[in-house]
mmCIF file of all heavy atoms in Angstrom:
data_model
loop_
_atom_site.group_PDB
_atom_site.id
_atom_site.type_symbol
_atom_site.label_atom_id
_atom_site.label_comp_id
_atom_site.label_asym_id
_atom_site.label_seq_id
_atom_site.Cartn_x
_atom_site.Cartn_y
_atom_site.Cartn_z
ATOM 1 N N LYS A 249 50.610 16.764 6.760
ATOM 2 C CA LYS A 249 49.804 17.708 5.992
ATOM 3 C C LYS A 249 50.248 19.103 6.401
ATOM 4 O O LYS A 249 50.332 19.397 7.598
ATOM 5 C CB LYS A 249 48.309 17.519 6.270
ATOM 6 C CG LYS A 249 47.405 18.480 5.503
ATOM 7 C CD LYS A 249 45.938 18.238 5.840
ATOM 8 C CE LYS A 249 45.024 19.194 5.076
ATOM 9 N NZ LYS A 249 43.593 18.982 5.419
ATOM 10 N N ALA A 250 50.552 19.941 5.433
ATOM 11 C CA ALA A 250 51.021 21.284 5.759
ATOM 12 C C ALA A 250 50.708 22.216 4.598
ATOM 13 O O ALA A 250 51.430 22.248 3.608
ATOM 14 C CB ALA A 250 52.519 21.284 6.051
ATOM 15 N N ARG A 251 49.617 22.947 4.715
ATOM 16 C CA ARG A 251 49.246 23.899 3.677
ATOM 17 C C ARG A 251 50.271 25.031 3.619
ATOM 18 O O ARG A 251 50.673 25.574 4.645
ATOM 19 C CB ARG A 251 47.852 24.470 3.950
ATOM 20 C CG ARG A 251 46.745 23.435 3.759
ATOM 21 C CD ARG A 251 45.391 23.975 4.147
ATOM 22 N NE ARG A 251 44.344 22.974 3.931
ATOM 23 C CZ ARG A 251 43.125 23.037 4.460
ATOM 24 N NH1 ARG A 251 42.800 24.050 5.242
ATOM 25 N NH2 ARG A 251 42.242 22.096 4.210
ATOM 26 N N ASN A 252 50.695 25.360 2.412
ATOM 27 C CA ASN A 252 51.633 26.460 2.176
ATOM 28 C C ASN A 252 52.997 26.224 2.827
ATOM 29 O O ASN A 252 53.714 27.173 3.145
ATOM 30 C CB ASN A 252 51.048 27.788 2.688
ATOM 31 C CG ASN A 252 49.716 28.114 2.050
ATOM 32 O OD1 ASN A 252 49.535 27.932 0.849
ATOM 33 N ND2 ASN A 252 48.773 28.586 2.852
ATOM 34 N N LEU A 253 53.364 24.952 3.050
ATOM 35 C CA LEU A 253 54.664 24.620 3.613
ATOM 36 C C LEU A 253 55.338 23.630 2.675
ATOM 37 O O LEU A 253 54.853 22.520 2.482
ATOM 38 C CB LEU A 253 54.494 24.002 4.998
ATOM 39 C CG LEU A 253 55.734 23.954 5.897
ATOM 40 C CD1 LEU A 253 56.228 25.352 6.210
ATOM 41 C CD2 LEU A 253 55.406 23.222 7.193
ATOM 42 N N THR A 254 56.441 24.048 2.055
ATOM 43 C CA THR A 254 57.095 23.212 1.057
ATOM 44 C C THR A 254 58.600 23.183 1.289
ATOM 45 O O THR A 254 59.138 23.939 2.105
ATOM 46 C CB THR A 254 56.825 23.733 -0.370
ATOM 47 O OG1 THR A 254 57.313 25.093 -0.470
ATOM 48 C CG2 THR A 254 55.343 23.698 -0.699
ATOM 49 N N GLY A 255 59.281 22.309 0.539
ATOM 50 C CA GLY A 255 60.736 22.259 0.568
ATOM 51 C C GLY A 255 61.288 21.870 1.919
ATOM 52 O O GLY A 255 60.712 21.058 2.651
ATOM 53 N N ASP A 256 62.422 22.485 2.277
ATOM 54 C CA ASP A 256 63.101 22.145 3.521
ATOM 55 C C ASP A 256 62.255 22.439 4.749
ATOM 56 O O ASP A 256 62.423 21.803 5.798
ATOM 57 C CB ASP A 256 64.430 22.910 3.620
ATOM 58 C CG ASP A 256 65.443 22.443 2.581
ATOM 59 O OD1 ASP A 256 65.262 21.337 2.042
ATOM 60 O OD2 ASP A 256 66.394 23.196 2.311
ATOM 61 N N LYS A 257 61.343 23.412 4.642
ATOM 62 C CA LYS A 257 60.505 23.761 5.797
ATOM 63 C C LYS A 257 59.582 22.615 6.198
ATOM 64 O O LYS A 257 59.144 22.543 7.344
ATOM 65 C CB LYS A 257 59.683 25.012 5.490
ATOM 66 C CG LYS A 257 60.525 26.274 5.338
ATOM 67 C CD LYS A 257 59.657 27.464 5.020
ATOM 68 C CE LYS A 257 60.492 28.735 4.870
ATOM 69 N NZ LYS A 257 59.650 29.914 4.534
ATOM 70 N N ALA A 258 59.263 21.748 5.234
ATOM 71 C CA ALA A 258 58.380 20.620 5.517
ATOM 72 C C ALA A 258 59.152 19.324 5.733
ATOM 73 O O ALA A 258 58.552 18.260 5.874
ATOM 74 C CB ALA A 258 57.388 20.440 4.366
ATOM 75 N N ALA A 259 60.482 19.404 5.769
ATOM 76 C CA ALA A 259 61.304 18.203 5.930
ATOM 77 C C ALA A 259 61.177 17.649 7.345
ATOM 78 O O ALA A 259 61.033 18.414 8.311
ATOM 79 C CB ALA A 259 62.765 18.535 5.627
ATOM 80 N N PRO A 260 61.226 16.335 7.515
ATOM 81 C CA PRO A 260 61.128 15.739 8.855
ATOM 82 C C PRO A 260 62.349 16.065 9.706
ATOM 83 O O PRO A 260 63.450 16.323 9.184
ATOM 84 C CB PRO A 260 61.027 14.240 8.567
ATOM 85 C CG PRO A 260 61.625 14.057 7.217
ATOM 86 C CD PRO A 260 61.325 15.308 6.458
ATOM 87 N N LEU A 261 62.166 16.052 11.013
ATOM 88 C CA LEU A 261 63.230 16.332 11.964
ATOM 89 C C LEU A 261 63.431 15.147 12.900
ATOM 90 O O LEU A 261 62.474 14.432 13.217
ATOM 91 C CB LEU A 261 62.901 17.566 12.812
ATOM 92 C CG LEU A 261 62.699 18.904 12.110
ATOM 93 C CD1 LEU A 261 62.218 19.938 13.115
ATOM 94 C CD2 LEU A 261 63.982 19.361 11.445
ATOM 95 N N GLU A 262 64.651 14.957 13.337
ATOM 96 C CA GLU A 262 64.894 14.060 14.467
ATOM 97 C C GLU A 262 65.066 14.933 15.703
ATOM 98 O O GLU A 262 65.883 15.861 15.706
ATOM 99 C CB GLU A 262 66.135 13.204 14.260
ATOM 100 C CG GLU A 262 66.331 12.245 15.436
ATOM 101 C CD GLU A 262 67.481 11.274 15.247
ATOM 102 O OE1 GLU A 262 67.255 10.214 14.641
ATOM 103 O OE2 GLU A 262 68.590 11.598 15.699
ATOM 104 N N VAL A 263 64.297 14.666 16.734
ATOM 105 C CA VAL A 263 64.208 15.545 17.895
ATOM 106 C C VAL A 263 64.505 14.759 19.164
ATOM 107 O O VAL A 263 64.087 13.604 19.311
ATOM 108 C CB VAL A 263 62.804 16.175 17.990
ATOM 109 C CG1 VAL A 263 62.709 17.124 19.177
ATOM 110 C CG2 VAL A 263 62.454 16.909 16.696
ATOM 111 N N GLU A 264 65.208 15.403 20.085
ATOM 112 C CA GLU A 264 65.504 14.777 21.368
ATOM 113 C C GLU A 264 65.371 15.812 22.479
ATOM 114 O O GLU A 264 65.871 16.934 22.360
ATOM 115 C CB GLU A 264 66.918 14.191 21.366
ATOM 116 C CG GLU A 264 67.282 13.467 22.647
ATOM 117 C CD GLU A 264 68.669 12.835 22.600
ATOM 118 O OE1 GLU A 264 69.372 13.036 21.582
ATOM 119 O OE2 GLU A 264 69.044 12.160 23.578
ATOM 120 N N LEU A 265 64.698 15.436 23.568
ATOM 121 C CA LEU A 265 64.536 16.307 24.729
ATOM 122 C C LEU A 265 65.592 15.957 25.768
ATOM 123 O O LEU A 265 65.670 14.827 26.234
ATOM 124 C CB LEU A 265 63.131 16.151 25.320
ATOM 125 C CG LEU A 265 62.836 16.958 26.597
ATOM 126 C CD1 LEU A 265 62.961 18.453 26.336
ATOM 127 C CD2 LEU A 265 61.447 16.624 27.130
ATOM 128 N N CYS A 266 66.402 16.952 26.111
ATOM 129 C CA CYS A 266 67.452 16.764 27.113
ATOM 130 C C CYS A 266 67.235 17.779 28.228
ATOM 131 O O CYS A 266 66.492 18.737 28.087
ATOM 132 C CB CYS A 266 68.835 16.967 26.496
ATOM 133 S SG CYS A 266 69.158 15.975 25.024
#
Side-chain angles (χ1 to χ4, degrees):
K249 180 180 180 181
R251 291 175 179 164
N252 303 318
L253 197 63
T254 59
D256 292 342
K257 293 179 180 179
L261 299 173
E262 182 175 274
V263 181
E264 183 177 4
L265 177 62
C266 307

